Each structure stands twice: as C-alpha cells, then as structure tokens.
Amino acid sequence: MKIEKGRAAIISGGASGLGEAVARELSGAGASVCLFDINEDKGKALASELGGHFVKVDVCDVLSIESGFDQARAAQGQEHIFVNCAGIGGASKTVSKGAPHDFALYDRIIRTNLIGSFLCASRSAAGMAQSEPVNEDGERGVIINTASVAAFDGQIGQVAYSSSKGGIVGMTLPMARDLASLGIRVVTIAPGIFLTPLLAGLSDEIQASLGAQVPFPQRLGRPDEYAQLARQIIENSMLNGEVIRLDGAIRMAPR
Ligand code: NAD
C-alpha cells in the first residue's frame, strides 16, 4: 500500500520510543497520524509537532479503545494503517523466594501487551473492512504488531513479558488468514534491543554491554530502524502473516 498524502494511520504507544519513530516516519511520508497513548503530555506535544492528532487511550480498557477509534476517525477518517506499539515490561520469576509470580503483575503485562494489541487490531480491522479498497490488489489495510525476541528466547524473570509477546507471535498468522478476504494484512515485528526511553534509563555501561551481545552491528537498535521496517511492511504488499526479527542476529542468553 502506498503511503499517500492524507493516508490515515493510528499508532498505539505513539507518544514514545518505537511508536514515536513510526509516527515520525509515516508523517514524514505524508500520512495523517493519530497517536493512542496514556501519556497525554508527550502524546499531545508530538501530535502538534507532526500536525497529527492525539487521543488518550488506555489499551487495557475496551471502552477507552472504542472511544479512541471514534475520535480518531472523526478527526482524520478511517485509518488504513494501524501499528501496535503500546507495551510495558516487568521482571519477576515464576517462583521467587518461595512465592509464586505476582498475579497482578502477570495480568497487567498480558492485558497491556497481548489483549491490548488484539483489541486494537480487531477494532481497527472492523473499520477497515467497511472501507473501499485503496489499490488494484483490493487492499484495505495493514496492521503491524510489536512482539519481541523475548517471544523466542525469553530470559530468566521474563515469563510474563515473554508470554505476552509469544501470544502476539501466535496470533499473527491466524489473524492474517482471518482478514485475508477483507484485503487486510497483518505482520509482526520482533525487535531485539532498541534504544528507547524504556532502556535510556540504564547506565552507559549497561547499554554498552547489551550492545556488545549483538553479533552485528554491535550496538543497540535505533527506533528509526524499526520505523523503516514498519514503512516497508506497509509499502510491500507481499509481506503478510509473518513475524520478522529485527535484532542484529542476537539470541538472548538465559540471563
Ligand atoms: P516506550 O516505553 O518508549 O513506549 C511505550 C509507549 O506505550 C509509552 O508511550 C507508554 O505511555 C505507552 N503505553 C504503555 N501502556 C499503555 C496503555 N495501557 N495504553 C496506551 N499506551 C500505553 O517503549 P518502547 O521501547 O518504544 O516499546 C514499544 C513496544 O516495543 C513495546 O511493546 C515493547 O515491549 C516493544 N519492544 C521494545 C524493545 C526495546 O528494546 N525497546 C524490544 C522489544 C520489544
């Protein structure tokens, strides 16, 4: 699908990190962008810088998501691009000091990363399904999800996060199959370690040591490199039903 002037896109988690980079890339290519995020200050500031829109949406709350889509579509029309970037981390072992994993933490990570992505994707697809195709392939939309290499090589303490990201990997192909007859593609990116605010709080030493674990190039990924891949997924209509690792060949060790 071409990113033409005014093509409407929504990016969840668009106020920061990978989502912010996607918003900048798509906006730079001419798209109208709407950011869904709980961070109102950053979201509003970026939306106004890009001439886009911001809607305060909590992806854990279905009513908030529905109102978000209503507001985004009223502002910029039906989106043909939806990018799921909202997500949280959190570390805890399955059993720690004799106690089982905190249920509330597990629940919050699954709700935000997995159920939040699913709810946004399915609601976006339902709107796309009502729209006119945008090209001769009959394409109506592209949905991009964000998993993580933790879906495949989850480290010690990452059981909740890896479960949430593994769920995103698992839903990619069936969702693409479900939506194929509607002309909607679904692709998931599984990033390695990217330098976003999620990691910027770590010391230079830890950042360097994380970067050194990457076979090549030996550094952390840049958010614009994630955004480039998101753009390629949108523009290359043969990409569908796939999970793409974007990780410099890193395979995470157990710890
Ligand atoms: P980030 O913290 O910079 O951005 C995440 C954004 O999501 C924030 O703006 C935050 O406010 C928003 N958010 C959190 N909970 C939300 C909710 N309930 N509703 C709406 N918005 C919410 O982090 P990032 O590094 O850009 O991460 C983006 C995605 O990429 C996450 O899903 C993360 O798991 C994934 N990821 C990141 C890395 C990395 O190295 N940075 C690696 C693999 C996967």
Side-chain angles (χ1 to χ4, degrees):
M1 174 185 297
K2 275 196 194 131
I3 306 176
E4 293 166 344
K5 189 163 167 40
R7 171 85 71 226
I10 301 178
I11 301 118
S12 82
S16 174
L18 304 183
E20 174 183 344
V22 172
R24 289 184 183 282
E25 177 76 29
L26 300 188
S27 170
S32 302
V33 296
C34 181
L35 318 176
F36 283 3
D37 208 292
I38 45 174
N39 189 330
E40 208 164 355
D41 291 347
K42 279 188 79 179
K44 278 185 175 163
L46 182 62
S48 95
E49 182 191 331
L50 300 179
H53 300 92
F54 168 79
V55 187
K56 188 172 184 187
V57 171
D58 179 353
V59 301
C60 298
D61 175 352
V62 71
L63 294 178
S64 170
I65 293 172
E66 278 168 1
S67 149
F69 278 110
D70 289 347
Q71 293 179 60
R73 289 167 187 167
Q76 61 174 22
Q78 171 61 49
E79 76 281 1
H80 292 280
I81 299 163
F82 188 91
V83 186
N84 265 316
C85 279
I88 54 170
S92 183
K93 292 208 275 184
T94 306
V95 173
S96 181
K97 295 184 181 138
H101 195 291
D102 177 37
F103 174 67
L105 176 64
Y106 191 87
D107 188 55
R108 189 163 74 247
I109 292 174
I110 296 288
R111 272 178 197 276
T112 309
N113 296 358
L114 176 56
I115 302 178
S117 296
F118 174 74
L119 291 176
C120 288
S122 59
R123 271 146 189 81
S124 185
M128 291 172 182
Q130 305 292 320
S131 68
E132 288 302 312
V134 301
N135 59 26
E136 65 282 4
D137 285 330
E139 214 172 340
R140 290 190 173 84
V142 184
I143 292 168
I144 299 176
N145 300 311
T146 308
S148 163
V149 295
F152 309 104
D153 5 292
Q155 296 189 293
I156 287 171
Q158 293 295 307
V159 64
Y161 185 73
S162 293
S163 309
S164 71
K165 297 302 188 178
I168 292 174
V169 168
M171 80 183 180
T172 304
L173 181 61
M175 191 180 276
R177 287 173 162 169
D178 281 349
L179 300 177
S181 63
L182 299 170
I184 301 167
R185 295 184 289 118
V186 182
V187 176
T188 293
I189 302 174
I193 316 173
F194 278 68
L195 189 53
T196 67
L198 207 69
L199 272 91
L202 302 175
S203 68
D204 289 352
E205 203 182 347
I206 295 180
Q207 285 184 20
S209 116
L210 286 170
Q213 291 174 36
V214 185
F216 187 84
Q218 283 212 329
R219 60 171 173 80
L220 303 182
R222 296 190 316 262
D224 66 284
E225 294 171 317
Y226 175 96
Q228 261 177 48
L229 178 57
R231 179 170 177 176
Q232 177 62 15
I233 289 167
I234 294 161
E235 291 178 336
N236 191 329
S237 298
M238 281 306 285
L239 280 168
N240 193 12
E242 181 58 306
V243 178
I244 304 170
R245 288 183 73 128
L246 184 68
D247 65 0
I250 198 169
R251 297 296 179 268
M252 306 288 276
R255 65 171 86 236

